Amino acid sequence: MPQRTAAAPVALLGLQRLAGNRAVDALLTGATKAPGTGFVVQRREENNAPLAEIQGLPMYDLLPRLARLGEQVLRDEEAGGLVGGPRLVLAMQTVRAKMQRDLEFLLREKNRVETLPRDQIADIVNFLWGPSVGTSIALVNTDLEMEPIIAPPASVRLPGEPAHAGDGGIVVDDESGPQGISDFEEDLPENRNRISGVVLDPETREIIGYRTFHADGISRLVDREGNFVVDAGVAIGVESEGLGPLDYVPTPSGVGKGAAGVAAKLLVKGALKKGTATGGKVTLGVILKMRSVAKAVAKKAISPNAEGKAFIQAVRSGQRVSRTLSVEAAESLTKKFDKGAPIVASELNKRGIIGPFDSFSVFTRGHGGAYQAHHIIEQSVLKHLGHDVQKAPSIILTAGQHSPISTALARKIPKDELEHLTKKEILDLYRKVYKGMPEWIAEVERYLR
């Protein structure tokens, strides 16, 4: 046992008050620390209650709840071990590591972290690194293992690809705008033979990369930009059947740049559905690199040409409402198709497509008023309610179609009467004028309900 000196009691008194009798005893006796832990604050009864209240929560909820507790509680690992065992102690240490910007925590505690289920490992990584996940060299090189999910290309709606008609009622239009896609992905919907699998994030089920075949017979994983990530060999992601288009649905991401901004995340409906391939394991670093690139791609605004192409594909597949088509994309389409004739306007008129007034007005320009963009909700009503006139829903009509509708609306809903009408009364008047036009009425209801 180490020899005590005369000065020791004075020096150790502060440590005793800070860390407790057990820590001082361990220091004096040379006792071995428990794996992954340092000296702990002596358990205080008052720390048990806040820990007991949250200890059973899922890891993704437990970590932020712990972060709201005081440092005295977070350092009381003895209380954490008593209340929730090793899992809670590891969670407490994770929170402290983030507070202290401890960049090596994940690597240092690799063996302990690997004892947790895969989804909880992902929760810890996301909590520690947030939006910048994958940017740390230390994390990219870690050998924590996770399993990617490889889906058959024919079963997945690829980025930039519209839903097919009859997709079980899936709503493909959302208000977050077109989906951000990379140059590598732009022609994948027409050339699926370029890939042999779609890599899905094991935690979020988002598309983060692809499996490709090469002349040497080895399949490789690439990120969404098409950059090589790792050799997949023959064991990774053996294709399997049983997944249909309904297993992959669009979900708005909420990240975007205006109307031409980024779109939706493509998610698998249901976790690890039977029939999905998981194949062999790859390192957590590989998953993080692919996830980081996928996030960057999702934040990119797509080009007007690509956006216009996606709009035409959606129209051909049966989509009848687009609220996000940009003016730039509309101009790209007129330049490509019209050649002096109202080709796009005529087609949208025949199909009864609804879209933003400013963009649809582009299709009617230069044709002598033969086609006109009609505000489904009149400009006077939009201004009265404080809505953007340019982005409001419209439909392209011929001059002969437009005139009687405008006359009927002016008669039923006079501008000078608007201030005396309730939203419900205005909506009822629109229902009378638009009788037999349910899609038009649905657009009015979005503004007046």
Side-chain angles (χ1 to χ4, degrees):
M1 187 175 90
Q3 296 295 314
R4 306 189 188 194
T5 67
V10 177
L12 293 175
L13 182 59
L15 176 61
Q16 183 182 33
R17 289 172 177 166
L18 173 67
N21 293 330
R22 295 188 184 182
V24 174
D25 183 63
L27 176 64
L28 295 176
T29 61
T32 304
K33 294 181 291 185
T37 65
F39 295 132
V40 299
V41 176
Q42 186 176 25
R43 181 169 62 85
R44 298 185 177 182
E45 294 297 332
E46 62 266 28
N47 293 337
N48 290 358
L51 292 172
E53 185 178 344
I54 62 176
Q55 69 88 15
L57 293 174
M59 186 64 74
Y60 61 80
D61 197 15
L62 175 62
L63 293 169
R65 291 286 295 274
L66 280 171
R68 295 200 289 267
L69 299 180
E71 186 174 356
Q72 176 182 300
V73 179
L74 290 175
R75 295 190 63 83
D76 194 345
E77 294 174 10
E78 188 174 357
L82 179 69
V83 171
R87 176 180 179 271
L88 180 57
V89 172
L90 181 57
M92 294 164 67
Q93 293 172 342
T94 299
V95 173
R96 295 209 314 273
K98 182 169 184 176
M99 290 177 172
Q100 297 163 6
R101 300 184 181 277
D102 183 356
L103 302 182
E104 301 300 321
F105 172 77
L106 189 63
L107 298 178
R108 190 173 62 252
E109 302 299 337
K110 170 183 173 295
N111 291 336
R112 296 173 61 219
V113 172
E114 281 187 317
T115 65
L116 296 174
R118 184 182 63 203
D119 60 330
Q120 295 188 39
I121 295 175
D123 291 336
I124 287 177
V125 171
N126 285 340
F127 177 80
L128 285 172
W129 300 97
S132 61
V133 66
T135 60
S136 162
I137 293 176
L139 272 180
V140 167
N141 291 332
T142 183
D143 58 352
L144 289 170
E145 292 185 331
M146 298 184 79
E147 293 179 358
I149 303 171
I150 313 292
S155 301
V156 182
R157 241 186 80 201
L158 297 174
E161 182 181 28
H164 303 292
D167 268 2
I170 291 178
V171 179
V172 297
D173 180 65
D174 64 70
E175 311 215 16
S176 58
Q179 182 176 326
I181 60 177
S182 69
D183 293 340
F184 174 80
E185 295 171 320
E186 208 162 288
D187 67 342
L188 279 184
E190 294 83 21
N191 297 280
R192 273 185 159 81
N193 59 349
R194 290 175 52 200
I195 57 175
S196 60
V198 179
V199 183
L200 304 172
D201 189 301
E203 181 209 3
T204 66
R205 313 303 191 257
E206 297 171 41
I207 293 178
I208 58 173
Y210 304 93
R211 187 183 62 186
T212 60
F213 280 140
H214 293 267
D216 57 12
I218 299 295
S219 63
R220 293 183 169 89
L221 298 188
V222 298
D223 60 31
R224 284 189 57 182
E225 294 278 8
N227 302 313
F228 167 77
V229 178
V230 69
D231 283 333
V234 294
I236 294 290
V238 179
E239 287 190 24
S240 62
E241 302 300 327
L243 293 176
L246 297 186
D247 295 311
Y248 301 87
V249 298
T251 302
S253 67
V255 187
K257 292 184 178 180
V262 296
K265 300 176 181 178
L266 295 180
L267 306 180
V268 180
K269 186 197 298 179
L272 290 175
K273 178 177 176 177
K274 184 177 181 181
T276 312
T278 54
K281 291 184 177 182
V282 296
T283 66
L284 176 59
V286 167
I287 296 295
L288 295 178
K289 287 171 68 176
M290 298 176 81
R291 182 185 292 173
S292 180
V293 171
K295 286 184 177 181
V297 169
K299 291 179 180 177
K300 289 182 1 182
I302 67 173
S303 69
N305 287 341
E307 184 190 351
K309 179 181 177 182
F311 171 73
I312 292 300
Q313 289 176 331
V315 168
R316 288 173 176 168
S317 70
Q319 181 177 325
R320 296 174 62 83
V321 179
S322 173
R323 301 191 181 99
T324 60
L325 183 70
S326 69
V327 170
E328 293 78 11
E331 290 172 341
S332 173
L333 289 172
T334 58
K335 183 178 180 180
K336 180 177 181 180
F337 291 107
D338 280 2
K339 310 297 183 183
I343 303 300
V344 178
S346 175
E347 189 66 23
L348 297 182
N349 171 258
K350 289 176 184 176
R351 294 174 180 261
I353 306 301
I354 294 171
F357 177 80
D358 58 354
S359 301
F360 273 33
S361 294
V362 172
F363 300 132
T364 66
R365 292 175 191 164
H367 304 302
Y371 290 93
Q372 301 166 9
H374 165 64
H375 274 102
I376 293 177
I377 302 98
E378 287 186 296
Q379 293 189 55
S380 58
V381 176
L382 290 166
K383 292 176 180 177
H384 173 68
L385 298 173
H387 291 293
D388 188 342
V389 172
Q390 294 301 314
K391 297 298 180 184
S394 69
I395 191 161
I396 293 178
L397 303 175
T398 64
Q401 294 168 332
H402 198 189
S403 180
I405 290 176
S406 295
T407 300
L409 287 170
R411 187 173 61 251
K412 285 284 187 181
I413 313 174
K415 296 180 183 179
D416 54 2
E417 293 293 326
L418 287 176
E419 60 182 301
H420 305 299
L421 297 173
T422 65
K423 283 187 176 183
K424 183 179 183 304
E425 289 171 333
I426 297 174
L427 177 57
D428 288 340
L429 292 172
Y430 270 111
R431 285 172 174 157
K432 291 177 181 178
V433 177
Y434 290 160
K435 186 177 181 181
M437 303 174 184
E439 290 177 333
W440 295 23
I441 293 173
E443 292 303 306
V444 177
E445 289 175 343
R446 291 179 60 240
Y447 283 76
L448 292 172
R449 275 198 165 166

